[in-house]
Amino acid sequence: MANSTLQTDVVIIGGGGAGIPAAIEADKAGAKAIVLEAAAECGGTAAISGGGCCIVGTPLQKSQGIEDTPDLAFEDWVKWGGGAADEIWARFYLEHTLHDLYHWAETCGAKWVDMKFQEGNRVLRWHRPDNNGLGLMTALIKNAQALPNVTIMTSTKAGKLLTQDGRVCGVTATRNGETLEIRSKVVLVATGGFNSNLDMVLEHRPEFKKFKVMEGSGFGAKGEGHQMVKELGGYFTHMDCIWFYVYATPDYRDPQQRRGLVFRQVPGYIWFNQQGKRFHNESVTGGASATPALLRQNPPHAWALADTPMLAKIDVADPYYRRGDVIDRSKVEELLNNSPFIKKADSLEELGRKTGVEDINNFLAEVEDYNKCFDAGLEKEPRFGKSLKTSKKFDTPPYYAIQIFPLARKNFGGVKTDLHCRVLNKYFEPIPGLYAAGEVAGMAGGHINGKAGLEGTMLGPSIFSGRVAGAWAANEAGFGTGFIGNPNRPELD
Ligand SMILES: Cc1cc2nc3c(=O)[nH]c(=O)nc-3n(C[C@H](O)[C@H](O)[C@H](O)COP(=O)(O)OP(=O)(O)OC[C@H]3O[C@@H](n4cnc5c(N)ncnc54)[C@H](O)[C@@H]3O)c2cc1C
């Protein structure tokens, strides 16, 4: 028996990258919406993300002389997705990114500041907002908080979906030890992915059971929404398409050591395997390149070698290592000095010994070869073609070896939805009253990326599908016209 019952038009479960835009759209349509967020604050994984979004044909691209079109981006997208992308959703997203993501986010107060190259794209199209994911989400959350029809309930964890006469009609929740029932005309699940639930990762990638892999998404990405939808017969697809990164080391502060810490901004480093050999161009770090290379090693882990100046700007993608958006250097030092997965030594030989590499001569020879490239004035080292522009000789002790393992970061598969974000059952028929958007729906529609993502293709589609879902959920509840976007077709402008 619930302690209290609330009533609304649309319940949105999850106040992150998809849930907040959904609430903004529901309000715009005139529907009352309640957002349930398990954490003390909204933002989810989106707020700790790099914030990069794959967007096509933008003023920022034009200012740098880049000609990009949805057609060009679509070709890159489908090719990179290895034949597994949902082409209809990919097309729908790409056609709409300019107006319905880039300009829309600007109207909410976000600012796009620069772009970065990402593997698989023929042109720059990964757009970064000011202050990364935190900046983008702060702007969207502020908007949602100011809306008259939106109620945001933080520290409120949704439990079970409620049904009546074959329709989803609400959800149970807990808040401060109280149980609640929120009754609604429709429910939208926007609970994110499952990469902070190692058991679920291993269930879908059982071949990893014999290796160490780590949890690496936001803290709320436990797959709870997946469970809710599964109980009502939602059809899940591409669940094994998990995007792993390898530049991550175990979080030694996690008692179970399931969680990993992604570290960035160490472009000088090189990686060596347990035999003491390099195996990859370390400047190519994507999930479709570095990850398979690491997984081919025996055992499938590596050591990232750096000297002291190379670690000056290291950034650890975890809230503990930051004050807002600023790196907390003392916490980073604490990690470097205390983690059993990080070795430190005054000589390379001693470091090699501490890592336990099988052949220390291999390791020393690799470093010597690499250092010689600088004496020869080379632009790239010849073994794997790593650019030496942002690198230097290993010459300033103490030296560090950071042990790296695969880390599950993003889910490219999830619950199948139609283009209105209605959850489909195994007969590909909508489950009445149930919507899903964001990473629980493989970012959008079930599997918008396929086997690999061009980057910026997780947050962008999560926000976009959140908007689409919010508008159509409101429509089913009796408000507004559903999502009417503005495609990137200059001839229509
Ligand atoms: C460190 C990092 C960096 C990233 N950088 C990028 C990037 O630069 N570009 C990109 O495209 N993608 C990036 N991603 C991926 C991207 O951030 C996610 O795919 C995106 O945020 C998913 O949005 P979402 O709304 O589905 O999930 P989230 O943003 O995680 O929101 C889900 C919310 O649901 C809440 N929730 C879960 N269960 C419940 C429950 N039972 N009751 C109530 N609330 C619940 C969670 O607490 C959370 O707040 C990154 C991911 C990580 C981990």
Side-chain angles (χ1 to χ4, degrees):
M1 188 67 184
N3 297 105
S4 48
T5 303
L6 305 174
Q7 192 81 40
T8 190
D9 297 316
V10 182
V11 170
I12 298 165
I13 308 176
I20 292 295
I24 294 173
E25 288 305 313
D27 173 88
K28 191 170 134 201
K32 288 204 181 324
I34 293 181
V35 179
L36 305 177
E37 170 52 54
E41 284 177 17
C42 285
T45 307
I48 61 159
S49 77
C53 292
C54 172
I55 313 183
V56 178
T58 65
L60 207 50
Q61 286 178 314
K62 292 207 167 84
S63 71
Q64 296 186 22
I66 296 166
E67 275 305 317
D68 196 12
T69 62
D71 290 341
L72 188 73
F74 181 74
E75 278 176 23
D76 289 351
W77 186 299
V78 169
K79 190 169 170 205
W80 199 243
D86 179 331
E87 296 188 12
I88 297 173
W89 259 102
R91 179 54 90 168
F92 185 33
Y93 170 70
L94 289 168
E95 292 289 340
H96 286 265
T97 54
L98 173 63
H99 295 293
D100 295 316
L101 179 54
Y102 188 95
H103 291 310
W104 176 80
E106 285 179 330
T107 63
C108 294
K111 193 171 164 210
W112 301 100
V113 287
D114 53 28
M115 291 180 292
K116 190 170 137 194
F117 175 73
Q118 299 285 2
E119 284 172 65
N121 294 281
R122 278 175 288 176
V123 298
L124 292 188
R125 53 172 79 100
W126 188 92
H127 290 69
R128 192 178 66 85
D130 196 17
N131 222 0
N132 307 323
L134 184 64
L136 178 56
M137 286 311 294
T138 303
L140 300 184
I141 292 165
K142 260 195 198 154
N143 265 264
Q145 281 167 337
L147 296 173
N149 290 322
V150 174
T151 305
I152 297 179
M153 297 174 66
T154 52
S155 304
T156 308
K157 193 176 161 77
K160 254 184 151 13
L161 295 172
L162 302 169
T163 55
Q164 195 172 1
D165 303 329
R167 275 192 69 81
V168 177
C169 63
V171 65
T172 64
T174 49
R175 187 187 210 197
N176 301 329
E178 284 203 338
T179 57
L180 309 172
E181 245 181 47
I182 301 100
R183 295 261 160 195
S184 60
K185 294 175 184 155
V186 289
V187 175
L188 197 169
V189 180
T191 45
F194 62 80
N195 285 325
S196 290
N197 179 342
L198 189 57
D199 296 334
M200 219 166 146
V201 170
L202 295 177
E203 179 192 332
H204 294 287
R205 293 299 292 268
E207 74 274 23
F208 283 120
K209 281 184 183 161
K210 50 182 190 272
F211 307 132
K212 183 166 183 64
V213 289
M214 301 179 294
E215 296 175 344
S217 189
F219 286 103
K222 301 261 180 220
E224 287 168 6
H226 294 73
Q227 194 52 37
M228 296 173 207
V229 171
K230 199 170 158 193
E231 279 171 17
L232 294 195
Y235 179 81
F236 285 85
T237 185
H238 295 70
M239 292 291 276
D240 60 332
C241 295
I242 299 174
W243 201 226
F244 289 91
Y245 291 138
V246 296
Y247 42 101
T249 190
D251 182 355
Y252 74 103
R253 296 172 60 251
D254 171 6
Q256 293 179 300
Q257 284 175 8
R258 287 160 72 106
R259 216 174 152 73
L261 300 171
V262 167
F263 59 95
R264 308 189 187 103
Q265 309 299 340
V266 198
Y269 63 12
I270 57 173
W271 303 341
F272 57 97
N273 63 17
Q274 206 54 39
Q275 289 73 47
K277 300 289 283 180
R278 283 181 69 214
F279 55 91
H280 184 65
N281 174 350
E282 296 86 353
S283 63
V284 182
T285 56
S289 50
T291 307
L294 182 89
L295 292 176
R296 282 194 295 272
Q297 307 310 305
N298 183 18
H301 70 228
W303 296 90
L305 171 68
D307 73 0
T308 293
M310 288 177 189
L311 292 177
K313 289 194 177 149
I314 185 173
D315 174 14
V316 183
D318 184 276
Y320 180 77
Y321 295 93
R322 287 168 179 230
R323 270 174 278 117
D325 212 38
V326 179
I327 300 163
D328 186 334
R329 190 67 209 174
S330 64
K331 297 265 178 65
V332 173
E333 288 296 333
E334 185 185 292
L335 171 72
L336 293 175
N337 291 324
N338 292 304
S339 169
F341 301 97
I342 300 179
K343 309 295 176 194
K344 179 179 175 184
D346 284 331
S347 74
L348 288 165
E349 198 165 350
E350 191 193 348
L351 188 73
R353 229 177 290 114
K354 283 188 172 175
T355 61
V357 285
E358 286 162 26
D359 191 335
I360 199 158
N361 292 325
N362 279 345
F363 165 63
L364 293 173
E366 289 283 10
V367 182
E368 196 182 331
D369 279 357
Y370 188 80
N371 276 352
K372 276 185 189 157
C373 299
F374 294 92
D375 299 332
L378 301 182
E379 282 188 5
K380 285 181 177 178
E381 56 79 30
R383 285 274 305 287
F384 299 100
K386 183 186 179 213
S387 164
L388 299 176
K389 266 193 200 131
T390 51
S391 199
K392 63 180 270 304
K393 263 185 171 182
F394 291 93
D395 57 8
T396 313
Y399 300 103
Y400 293 83
I402 305 176
Q403 198 169 16
I404 59 178
F405 296 89
L407 167 130
R409 191 68 140 179
K410 294 156 186 174
N411 293 117
F412 287 159
V415 66
K416 183 90 196 116
T417 76
D418 64 10
L419 285 180
H420 289 188
C421 296
R422 294 184 298 180
V423 171
L424 302 179
N425 62 21
K426 69 175 177 182
Y427 309 108
F428 274 38
E429 283 165 358
I431 297 176
L434 188 58
Y435 289 73
E439 203 161 337
V440 67
M443 312 300 174
H447 58 110
I448 187 170
N449 280 280
K451 291 185 183 145
L454 291 170
E455 297 296 346
T457 55
M458 303 96 191
L459 184 59
S462 293
I463 293 173
F464 178 67
S465 65
R467 289 196 64 201
V468 174
W472 284 113
N475 175 262
E476 186 171 337
F479 301 88
T481 53
F483 182 77
I484 300 176
N486 186 1
N488 181 1
R489 290 287 178 212
E491 67 274 16
L492 300 179
D493 285 344

